[in-house]
Amino acid sequence: MERVTIADAINELDELACALDNAYWDSANIQHKDIFYNLISIIHGELNELAKLSVVDHSMAYEPITAPWRNAVSKLKQLHSHLEAWVIRTKTVEQLEYHLPKLIRTLTVQN
């Protein structure tokens, strides 16, 4: 398994948050909006904690900091398995299809 640095994790989390934000605004289903919003909030919490680290630390190996993010793997897997049904725009599906498996692997290895 390749080593994920803090800088890599920040980039991946930011990209995932942007894709989830697009999915949130595209969705007309309130249950899907709730899931998207929940994940966005969890990611922002993790990014806020990572922002407290020094730039010198960005080359260190990444480990999830917040408990909600460490426990988000089931939510990410649920979203990944329902992407085509829950996300309308093809570009957003492609973005999520690219980022979700990476982050699921990162969280699964850590747990």
Side-chain angles (χ1 to χ4, degrees):
M1 176 103 208
E2 81 181 51
R3 179 178 169 257
V4 177
T5 65
I6 291 171
D8 296 335
I10 290 170
N11 289 332
E12 286 295 321
L13 288 166
D14 189 50
E15 291 290 328
L16 180 59
C18 289
L20 288 170
D21 189 59
N22 289 337
Y24 175 87
W25 288 109
D26 291 343
S27 181
N29 183 302
I30 194 70
Q31 289 85 12
H32 299 158
K33 281 187 177 285
D34 284 345
I35 292 168
F36 299 141
Y37 182 81
N38 186 324
L39 286 169
I40 291 166
S41 297
I42 290 170
I43 291 168
H44 281 237
E46 183 74 5
L47 286 170
N48 285 339
E49 291 302 314
L50 290 170
K52 296 174 184 177
L53 298 173
S54 166
V55 174
V56 175
D57 296 333
H58 285 205
S59 62
M60 296 173 59
Y62 170 70
E63 292 182 25
I65 298 172
T66 62
W69 179 240
R70 285 192 303 270
N71 298 325
V73 71
S74 62
K75 290 178 175 128
L76 294 173
K77 285 180 179 180
Q78 179 186 18
L79 173 58
H80 192 245
S81 66
H82 293 95
L83 269 180
E84 296 292 330
W86 291 3
V87 181
I88 297 170
R89 284 194 307 168
T90 304
K91 180 175 174 142
T92 305
V93 171
E94 290 170 355
Q95 290 172 329
L96 291 169
E97 187 65 49
Y98 179 78
H99 295 288
L100 281 172
K102 288 180 174 181
L103 291 167
I104 290 170
R105 275 193 306 275
T106 299
L107 288 172
T108 304
V109 168
Q110 298 298 324
N111 289 332

